[in-house]
Structure formats: C-alpha cells, structure tokens
Amino acid sequence: MATIAVAKPRRDWVGIVFALVLTVVIVVPMLVVVTWSVSNVWRFPSVLPQEFGFKFWQMTLARSDVWSALTMSLSLSAVVTALSALICLPAAYAFARMEFPARTLLFFSFLAGQAFPKFGLLVAIAAIFLQLNLIATFWGVVLIQLVGTLLFMIWIPVAAFQAVDRRMEEAARDAGAKPLRVFWSITLPQAAPTIGAAVLLSFVGTFYETEGAWLIGAPQIRTMPVLMISFINNQPVIQYAAVLSVLLWIPSLIALVFTRRVVNSGSFARGFGA
Amino acid sequence: MSNLSISNVSKLFSTTLAVDDFSLDVADGELVCLLGPSGSGKSTLLRMVGGFEMPSEGSIRIDGEEVVHLPPEERPTGMVFQSHALWTHMNVFNNLAFGLKLRRLPKAQIREKVEAVLELVGLGGYGTRGVTQLSGGQQQRVALARSLVLEPKILLLDEPFASLDQHLRERLREEVRDIQQRLKITTLFVTHGQDEALSMADRIVVMRDGKTEQIDRPDIVYREPRTPFVAGFIGTMNLIEGVVQNGVFSKAGYSTPVPVADGPAVLAIRPEALELTVAGENAQGHVHRVTDYGTHGLVDLVLLDGTRLKAMVSHPDLFATGQGVSLAPKAIAAYRDNVLIHRVALGKETAALRQLVDA
Ligand SMILES: Nc1ncnc2c1ncn2[C@@H]1O[C@H](COP(=O)(O)OP(=O)(O)O)[C@@H](O)[C@H]1O
Ligand SMILES: [Mg+2]
C-alpha cells in the first residue's frame, strides 16, 4: 500500500486577506456610521462618543421632509418596478422564445442604454423632457428611472425564460392550455425565483438611483438619496447623514435576505445559464 | 373507438426532409411502434400527430376528422415525452389535475379521477409528493398518468424509457403494454430499441430517412425483413455483399444457388440460421473466436477475404480458434437495390433430402 497522504489543515490565506479587506472597507465604515447615528455628542479626539442616545434619530424622524422623501422613494420604486415588469417580462419572453427579424439588434438596443456614460445620456434626456414638460414631475422621474431598470429586467428574465424546458410548455398545451395560460401557469412559475431576483434588484436599484432623480426631479421630487445629499451639503451635522444612511440600508438588507434565499436555491445561477 | 390515419405526410425543415411522404393507419386499440435509428424522423412524425409541428404536406385524421390545422390543446391526443416534462413547481396531484381543471370538472370528480389513474400506474397515494422527489421510473409513470387521466383518443409516446436503466425499462415496458391493453387505447410508440418494439408492438413501422422501410407484425419484420436495412437493424444479421452469376451467388470461396438474374446482391443470414460444419482442405472460412453462453455458443468466423460473420451453434466445444469451417445456412434472403429478390428456407429441404438419401 502507498502511504496515506494526511491532509494538513492549511490556512486559506487568500480567504483570510479577502475577509480582512472586506471588513476594513465595508464593516468598519458601517460601524462608524451606526455609531454616529446613536451619538448625541462625539467630539475630537475621543475614540468613543461622549454621549450615546437617540436624539438625532428622534430629530430626523420628526422631520416631515424625511417622511415625504421616504414615501416618494418607496412609491417611485414600486411604480417603476411594476411598470418595468409589465413592459420587460413579455418582451423578455418574446426574446427568449420567438424568432423574429432584427431580434438581436433589438435585444442589444435595450442594453445599449447601459453602454454610454450615464450622465451625458441623462442631460440629453433632460433636454427632451424639458420640451415635454416632464421636468420636476413624478412621471418624468418614473420614465428616467425606468430606463435604468431595463438592463436587469430584460437580461435576467430572458435567461430565466430560456432556461425553462420547452417540453414542459408543450406538455401544458397537450393537456389543453392555451398559450397565455401556459405562460401564466408554467413558464412564469418556473422562471419565478430568477425573475424575483430581477424585480428585487430593480426595486433596490431604483430606490438608490440618484442622478436621474436629481436631474429630472429637482426641486419638487425629492427621494431619500437626493435628500441625503442636500442634508450633507446644507447642514454639516454628521448625525443627520448617519441616521439617513442607516435608514437607506434597510431596503438593501431586505433585498440581501431575499436574494440569499434565491441564490441558495440555485435557480439564480441557472437563470444565467450556469 | 378511435383510429388514426396518416396519409402522405411530409415535413421539411428548411433544407432537411425529416418525414417523406409517410402513410400509416392505426386501428382502434392497436399499439404501433415507430422504430428507426436516431434522426429517421420518428419524433417529427409523432409531434405532427400531437400538433407540435405542422406538416408541410399531407393529412392526419383521427376518427375520420382532419386535425392538421388544430393546435395541440384542441387535439384528442396525449403525449408522453422522453424527458417526462413534469411541472416541477407542482406536486404529483396538481400535475395530473391541471388538464382536468382546464376542463372545469368539479373538484370531487377531479380527485376521484386522479386517484384512479395513480392506482392504475401503481402510484396510489403519491399525490402529495413533489415531482423531484420521485425516482426516474416513478416520474415516467406520473407522466404517463398525466396523459391517461385526460382519456385521449390517441396516446403518443416518444422514447419514454430512453433515460432509464435496462432493468427498469423492461419492467415499465410490460406495465405500459398491460395498461394499454386494459384501456384498449390506440397508441403510437416511438423507440430506437428493437427489443422494445418487438416485445410491445402489434405492428412495427421501420423508418429510415423519413421514409417507411416496412410495416408488419413483429415476427414478420424479424423473419421476413423486406430490405437489407430492416434485416440489419432488427436482431443480428450477417450481410454478405457478393455477385450472382448464372444463378449462383458467390463471395470469397463461398457460393450458394440463388436463382436470380446476374448482378450484385446482398445475402442475409441470421446467426441462428447459419449452421457450420468442420472442414479441412476446402474450408470456406476459419473460426476467429468462440463464445460459450452455456445454453448455446456464438462462433465468430472469417471468410477467405476477411468478411466477418456470426453463427449460433448448439455445441460450441466442437469449434476452436483457427479451425476451418464450411457454411450450411438453413435460410437465406437475397437483396438487390434495397429490394428483396429471393428468399428460401434451405434447412428443411436439405434435411428432407438427406433423409431420403439415407433411407
Ligand atoms: N425543429 C427542427 N428544425 C430543423 N431540423 C429538425 C428539427 N427537428 C428535427 N429536425 C431534423 O429532422 C430529422 C429527423 O429528426 P427526428 O424526428 O428528431 O428523428 P428521430 O426522432 O427519429 O431521432 C433530423 O435530421 C433532425 O435533425
Ligand atoms: Mg426522437
């Protein structure tokens, strides 16, 4: 018998370094921001705040502009995501299943919006919106943010639909279902986990979208990120910004929990053709 | 009472003629196997009957009614796919109930029908199982049940057991045949396995390049293949390409009378019809290898020009590698230009002759 190689538990140095870097770059700043948000008094050069407390949370949450910005952001994200799903999902299905002339050209034109420098594109669109009286309106912002979601809401669902076994759809036709029923009862549920991830990404992405919301929406339409920028610019009180930051993390955290479930189920990777 | 009538159906995929002027009538309660190598157009034909492909030409009638222009959901056919194609987001019960719900049957009746069909395929009480929790054989049974529960006039199966192991395949084959006979359901079954076709079918359609080579009962297809392709595709067959001159077929030292016009010919002899005699000087070939299967033996032999043949013998111990042998076939068939030109059972006559001489 050959000698049995004893596997020495080796340290995964790459992993350790990676974890350390992540900690320094993400976790430490987050901790600092959270600490700031619960500091009533924290003066240089003290390492810890002189006085902990929720004074600034109360002050922030008491402001009506914070609440209206939060409502605005949530309703913008909801409307944009719903519209985007309504437009993009049928389009994605068409791209995934049907053969028609200029299919590839059209597909890439959907994605082309992402290939150019965003701000230049935004300024050009803003000029057009000015003509159409869409500047500083809710629907103007909806339109501009809709463009930003196209990438996720077309690309990912196309992959998701393509991953659905055609035979399953045929079996449903065979059982007596009309094409629309097949889409609703078979194709959509089969692609659901991946499409759920796309919807979530679109929602969160819209929630944090800043340039479009600011350029098209200002001054009437104020979303959370836009409000935060004005807080930072106008009132150099760190605690306000810190509280707002923590508030802004909430959708991310919810999204993270959901995506973890989707990614773990494996269908997310399958959607990408993995 | 349902019959299927396919007349002069062709299917052209851009440049590929997948099915070429195909006609077939399937009688009520009959099980017909479409048998042929991969790419011979079996699936395309089945999918045209199911409504998933539109024929380029021809007509398909079920109980005399033209169905060519109906979408799958309006045809009285039920299809079982090779990949089972069960809906993985539904449990077994919902897979079976889907079509019944579309037909707006009352809940109690749906439950009753689903339970009955699950019993029929031997999966009683499996309704609440998830589809992915089942084994391959169980999944294929559910797929069959999903089609059966809708009581189709024509059942279509496209290599339903191809992904299962040999043992399971044989068992399911028998089960499906039993169910088919019990329900007396008109069935078209696609397979590329000859043993599957031979053991299940009332009639076999041997297909090649989208065309029919032969339509016959399994025993006739086996014993009297009409073309060398059928001869070679079903069972093991020795095919010897040679020349006929003055009524004698010859090939590398072997010759036998074949009373046809002069020209090239293919001689077909089954291994079990090829008797061998030990020969010395004027041997027609020699033994290459002997395999003893206990019940019988198989001799691989080589003709003088290197042509390989197989012969089934009852006493393998009589033969040894390198030994000279002569061929004494009991039955031969000769083909020219893909058509049968001569068939004869020699065994009985020679045996009878010998008895006369001995007497
Ligand atoms: N959708 C299609 N498009 C183009 N060619 C096809 C299509 N389906 C089948 N074919 C071709 O038709 C021929 C017959 O295929 P098929 O019916 O699947 O054969 P089988 O089931 O006997 O293996 C093959 O040459 C195949 O490549
Ligand atoms: Mg096939």
Side-chain angles (χ1 to χ4, degrees), chain B residues 162-183:
Chain B
S163 57
L164 307 177
D165 64 62
Q166 176 68 18
H167 193 69
L168 200 55
R169 212 179 317 173
E170 278 168 23
R171 222 176 71 203
L172 273 174
R173 186 191 294 169
E174 279 168 33
E175 284 180 29
V176 167
R177 180 62 167 155
D178 283 349
I179 290 171
Q180 187 266 335
Q181 302 234 291
R182 206 159 0 138
L183 303 178

mmCIF file of all heavy atoms in Angstrom, chain B residues 162-183:
data_model
loop_
_atom_site.group_PDB
_atom_site.id
_atom_site.type_symbol
_atom_site.label_atom_id
_atom_site.label_comp_id
_atom_site.label_asym_id
_atom_site.label_seq_id
_atom_site.Cartn_x
_atom_site.Cartn_y
_atom_site.Cartn_z
ATOM 1 N N ALA B 162 -36.143 5.926 -22.540
ATOM 2 C CA ALA B 162 -34.765 6.020 -23.028
ATOM 3 C C ALA B 162 -33.773 6.413 -21.938
ATOM 4 O O ALA B 162 -32.613 6.028 -21.990
ATOM 5 C CB ALA B 162 -34.697 7.005 -24.181
ATOM 6 N N SER B 163 -34.235 7.178 -20.927
ATOM 7 C CA SER B 163 -33.277 7.646 -19.929
ATOM 8 C C SER B 163 -33.215 6.714 -18.721
ATOM 9 O O SER B 163 -32.530 7.010 -17.756
ATOM 10 C CB SER B 163 -33.651 9.066 -19.489
ATOM 11 O OG SER B 163 -34.964 9.083 -18.992
ATOM 12 N N LEU B 164 -33.936 5.597 -18.782
ATOM 13 C CA LEU B 164 -33.937 4.681 -17.639
ATOM 14 C C LEU B 164 -32.959 3.530 -17.869
ATOM 15 O O LEU B 164 -32.574 3.240 -19.001
ATOM 16 C CB LEU B 164 -35.341 4.119 -17.436
ATOM 17 C CG LEU B 164 -36.452 5.161 -17.330
ATOM 18 C CD1 LEU B 164 -37.799 4.483 -17.215
ATOM 19 C CD2 LEU B 164 -36.229 6.083 -16.147
ATOM 20 N N ASP B 165 -32.599 2.843 -16.766
ATOM 21 C CA ASP B 165 -31.672 1.728 -16.938
ATOM 22 C C ASP B 165 -32.402 0.501 -17.494
ATOM 23 O O ASP B 165 -33.627 0.400 -17.435
ATOM 24 C CB ASP B 165 -30.939 1.401 -15.639
ATOM 25 C CG ASP B 165 -31.872 0.927 -14.553
ATOM 26 O OD1 ASP B 165 -32.515 -0.126 -14.734
ATOM 27 O OD2 ASP B 165 -31.970 1.617 -13.522
ATOM 28 N N GLN B 166 -31.658 -0.415 -18.030
ATOM 29 C CA GLN B 166 -32.166 -1.569 -18.769
ATOM 30 C C GLN B 166 -33.253 -2.335 -18.005
ATOM 31 O O GLN B 166 -34.310 -2.642 -18.537
ATOM 32 C CB GLN B 166 -30.985 -2.493 -19.094
ATOM 33 C CG GLN B 166 -31.352 -3.792 -19.775
ATOM 34 C CD GLN B 166 -31.874 -3.554 -21.182
ATOM 35 O OE1 GLN B 166 -31.644 -2.491 -21.742
ATOM 36 N NE2 GLN B 166 -32.564 -4.520 -21.729
ATOM 37 N N HIS B 167 -32.990 -2.593 -16.719
ATOM 38 C CA HIS B 167 -33.883 -3.393 -15.898
ATOM 39 C C HIS B 167 -35.252 -2.730 -15.781
ATOM 40 O O HIS B 167 -36.287 -3.332 -16.031
ATOM 41 C CB HIS B 167 -33.247 -3.553 -14.515
ATOM 42 C CG HIS B 167 -33.902 -4.584 -13.694
ATOM 43 N ND1 HIS B 167 -33.822 -5.926 -13.980
ATOM 44 C CD2 HIS B 167 -34.667 -4.474 -12.586
ATOM 45 C CE1 HIS B 167 -34.509 -6.592 -13.069
ATOM 46 N NE2 HIS B 167 -35.028 -5.734 -12.229
ATOM 47 N N LEU B 168 -35.215 -1.446 -15.418
ATOM 48 C CA LEU B 168 -36.427 -0.660 -15.226
ATOM 49 C C LEU B 168 -37.187 -0.526 -16.530
ATOM 50 O O LEU B 168 -38.414 -0.571 -16.582
ATOM 51 C CB LEU B 168 -36.019 0.725 -14.720
ATOM 52 C CG LEU B 168 -37.082 1.550 -14.008
ATOM 53 C CD1 LEU B 168 -37.665 0.789 -12.851
ATOM 54 C CD2 LEU B 168 -36.479 2.860 -13.539
ATOM 55 N N ARG B 169 -36.409 -0.381 -17.619
ATOM 56 C CA ARG B 169 -37.004 -0.220 -18.934
ATOM 57 C C ARG B 169 -37.862 -1.440 -19.271
ATOM 58 O O ARG B 169 -38.987 -1.321 -19.727
ATOM 59 C CB ARG B 169 -35.880 -0.070 -19.965
ATOM 60 C CG ARG B 169 -36.257 0.804 -21.127
ATOM 61 C CD ARG B 169 -35.127 0.941 -22.103
ATOM 62 N NE ARG B 169 -33.834 1.155 -21.444
ATOM 63 C CZ ARG B 169 -32.683 1.167 -22.089
ATOM 64 N NH1 ARG B 169 -32.655 0.963 -23.385
ATOM 65 N NH2 ARG B 169 -31.546 1.370 -21.432
ATOM 66 N N GLU B 170 -37.319 -2.612 -18.992
ATOM 67 C CA GLU B 170 -38.050 -3.834 -19.310
ATOM 68 C C GLU B 170 -39.330 -3.947 -18.499
ATOM 69 O O GLU B 170 -40.372 -4.359 -19.000
ATOM 70 C CB GLU B 170 -37.158 -5.055 -19.082
ATOM 71 C CG GLU B 170 -36.245 -5.309 -20.261
ATOM 72 C CD GLU B 170 -35.157 -6.325 -19.952
ATOM 73 O OE1 GLU B 170 -35.347 -7.134 -19.023
ATOM 74 O OE2 GLU B 170 -34.115 -6.291 -20.639
ATOM 75 N N ARG B 171 -39.250 -3.526 -17.206
ATOM 76 C CA ARG B 171 -40.435 -3.627 -16.362
ATOM 77 C C ARG B 171 -41.513 -2.646 -16.818
ATOM 78 O O ARG B 171 -42.684 -2.995 -16.944
ATOM 79 C CB ARG B 171 -40.058 -3.364 -14.903
ATOM 80 C CG ARG B 171 -40.760 -4.333 -13.990
ATOM 81 C CD ARG B 171 -40.340 -4.182 -12.560
ATOM 82 N NE ARG B 171 -40.849 -2.962 -11.968
ATOM 83 C CZ ARG B 171 -40.301 -2.367 -10.911
ATOM 84 N NH1 ARG B 171 -39.199 -2.852 -10.383
ATOM 85 N NH2 ARG B 171 -40.836 -1.295 -10.398
ATOM 86 N N LEU B 172 -41.092 -1.399 -17.079
ATOM 87 C CA LEU B 172 -42.063 -0.391 -17.481
ATOM 88 C C LEU B 172 -42.701 -0.734 -18.821
ATOM 89 O O LEU B 172 -43.871 -0.469 -19.058
ATOM 90 C CB LEU B 172 -41.384 0.984 -17.557
ATOM 91 C CG LEU B 172 -41.356 1.721 -16.235
ATOM 92 C CD1 LEU B 172 -40.541 2.997 -16.347
ATOM 93 C CD2 LEU B 172 -42.767 2.039 -15.773
ATOM 94 N N ARG B 173 -41.895 -1.321 -19.688
ATOM 95 C CA ARG B 173 -42.377 -1.747 -20.991
ATOM 96 C C ARG B 173 -43.576 -2.681 -20.821
ATOM 97 O O ARG B 173 -44.623 -2.494 -21.431
ATOM 98 C CB ARG B 173 -41.222 -2.492 -21.664
ATOM 99 C CG ARG B 173 -41.423 -2.909 -23.068
ATOM 100 C CD ARG B 173 -40.297 -3.840 -23.441
ATOM 101 N NE ARG B 173 -39.000 -3.167 -23.461
ATOM 102 C CZ ARG B 173 -37.834 -3.810 -23.548
ATOM 103 N NH1 ARG B 173 -37.808 -5.130 -23.604
ATOM 104 N NH2 ARG B 173 -36.716 -3.144 -23.562
ATOM 105 N N GLU B 174 -43.435 -3.653 -19.929
ATOM 106 C CA GLU B 174 -44.531 -4.590 -19.682
ATOM 107 C C GLU B 174 -45.732 -3.888 -19.064
ATOM 108 O O GLU B 174 -46.870 -4.134 -19.457
ATOM 109 C CB GLU B 174 -44.066 -5.705 -18.747
ATOM 110 C CG GLU B 174 -43.300 -6.786 -19.481
ATOM 111 C CD GLU B 174 -42.601 -7.729 -18.517
ATOM 112 O OE1 GLU B 174 -43.146 -7.973 -17.419
ATOM 113 O OE2 GLU B 174 -41.511 -8.217 -18.861
ATOM 114 N N GLU B 175 -45.453 -2.989 -18.098
ATOM 115 C CA GLU B 175 -46.550 -2.278 -17.444
ATOM 116 C C GLU B 175 -47.335 -1.449 -18.450
ATOM 117 O O GLU B 175 -48.573 -1.460 -18.456
ATOM 118 C CB GLU B 175 -46.001 -1.355 -16.351
ATOM 119 C CG GLU B 175 -45.589 -2.103 -15.105
ATOM 120 C CD GLU B 175 -45.061 -1.156 -14.045
ATOM 121 O OE1 GLU B 175 -45.499 0.016 -14.022
ATOM 122 O OE2 GLU B 175 -44.207 -1.575 -13.259
ATOM 123 N N VAL B 176 -46.623 -0.736 -19.301
ATOM 124 C CA VAL B 176 -47.294 0.119 -20.277
ATOM 125 C C VAL B 176 -48.119 -0.722 -21.235
ATOM 126 O O VAL B 176 -49.260 -0.388 -21.562
ATOM 127 C CB VAL B 176 -46.266 0.980 -21.047
ATOM 128 C CG1 VAL B 176 -46.907 1.634 -22.266
ATOM 129 C CG2 VAL B 176 -45.673 2.038 -20.138
ATOM 130 N N ARG B 177 -47.561 -1.842 -21.662
ATOM 131 C CA ARG B 177 -48.291 -2.731 -22.558
ATOM 132 C C ARG B 177 -49.564 -3.251 -21.882
ATOM 133 O O ARG B 177 -50.640 -3.271 -22.478
ATOM 134 C CB ARG B 177 -47.379 -3.896 -22.970
ATOM 135 C CG ARG B 177 -48.010 -4.904 -23.906
ATOM 136 C CD ARG B 177 -48.400 -4.296 -25.227
ATOM 137 N NE ARG B 177 -48.713 -5.298 -26.237
ATOM 138 C CZ ARG B 177 -49.505 -5.084 -27.286
ATOM 139 N NH1 ARG B 177 -50.059 -3.895 -27.454
ATOM 140 N NH2 ARG B 177 -49.714 -6.022 -28.167
ATOM 141 N N ASP B 178 -49.450 -3.628 -20.582
ATOM 142 C CA ASP B 178 -50.625 -4.098 -19.838
ATOM 143 C C ASP B 178 -51.711 -3.032 -19.786
ATOM 144 O O ASP B 178 -52.878 -3.295 -20.073
ATOM 145 C CB ASP B 178 -50.222 -4.481 -18.399
ATOM 146 C CG ASP B 178 -49.530 -5.828 -18.372
ATOM 147 O OD1 ASP B 178 -49.560 -6.514 -19.417
ATOM 148 O OD2 ASP B 178 -48.973 -6.187 -17.323
ATOM 149 N N ILE B 179 -51.281 -1.812 -19.387
ATOM 150 C CA ILE B 179 -52.242 -0.712 -19.255
ATOM 151 C C ILE B 179 -52.901 -0.428 -20.600
ATOM 152 O O ILE B 179 -54.108 -0.256 -20.707
ATOM 153 C CB ILE B 179 -51.527 0.556 -18.723
ATOM 154 C CG1 ILE B 179 -51.139 0.350 -17.252
ATOM 155 C CG2 ILE B 179 -52.420 1.777 -18.868
ATOM 156 C CD1 ILE B 179 -50.259 1.442 -16.693
ATOM 157 N N GLN B 180 -52.073 -0.429 -21.642
ATOM 158 C CA GLN B 180 -52.587 -0.135 -22.983
ATOM 159 C C GLN B 180 -53.640 -1.155 -23.393
ATOM 160 O O GLN B 180 -54.671 -0.805 -23.974
ATOM 161 C CB GLN B 180 -51.423 -0.104 -23.971
ATOM 162 C CG GLN B 180 -51.806 0.358 -25.371
ATOM 163 C CD GLN B 180 -52.128 -0.809 -26.286
ATOM 164 O OE1 GLN B 180 -51.666 -1.926 -26.083
ATOM 165 N NE2 GLN B 180 -52.938 -0.532 -27.306
ATOM 166 N N GLN B 181 -53.388 -2.419 -23.065
ATOM 167 C CA GLN B 181 -54.325 -3.474 -23.446
ATOM 168 C C GLN B 181 -55.590 -3.402 -22.610
ATOM 169 O O GLN B 181 -56.678 -3.658 -23.098
ATOM 170 C CB GLN B 181 -53.670 -4.838 -23.274
ATOM 171 C CG GLN B 181 -52.391 -4.944 -24.099
ATOM 172 C CD GLN B 181 -52.392 -6.126 -25.013
ATOM 173 O OE1 GLN B 181 -52.332 -7.244 -24.556
ATOM 174 N NE2 GLN B 181 -52.457 -5.865 -26.308
ATOM 175 N N ARG B 182 -55.425 -3.022 -21.333
ATOM 176 C CA ARG B 182 -56.583 -2.945 -20.456
ATOM 177 C C ARG B 182 -57.509 -1.797 -20.888
ATOM 178 O O ARG B 182 -58.715 -1.937 -20.915
ATOM 179 C CB ARG B 182 -56.120 -2.744 -19.009
ATOM 180 C CG ARG B 182 -57.121 -3.257 -18.058
ATOM 181 C CD ARG B 182 -56.630 -3.591 -16.642
ATOM 182 N NE ARG B 182 -55.247 -3.397 -16.324
ATOM 183 C CZ ARG B 182 -54.839 -2.859 -15.154
ATOM 184 N NH1 ARG B 182 -55.718 -2.416 -14.295
ATOM 185 N NH2 ARG B 182 -53.569 -2.774 -14.865
ATOM 186 N N LEU B 183 -56.892 -0.640 -21.207
ATOM 187 C CA LEU B 183 -57.705 0.514 -21.608
ATOM 188 C C LEU B 183 -58.073 0.450 -23.086
ATOM 189 O O LEU B 183 -58.872 1.236 -23.558
ATOM 190 C CB LEU B 183 -56.948 1.815 -21.319
ATOM 191 C CG LEU B 183 -56.499 2.062 -19.883
ATOM 192 C CD1 LEU B 183 -55.737 3.368 -19.789
ATOM 193 C CD2 LEU B 183 -57.698 2.083 -18.954
#
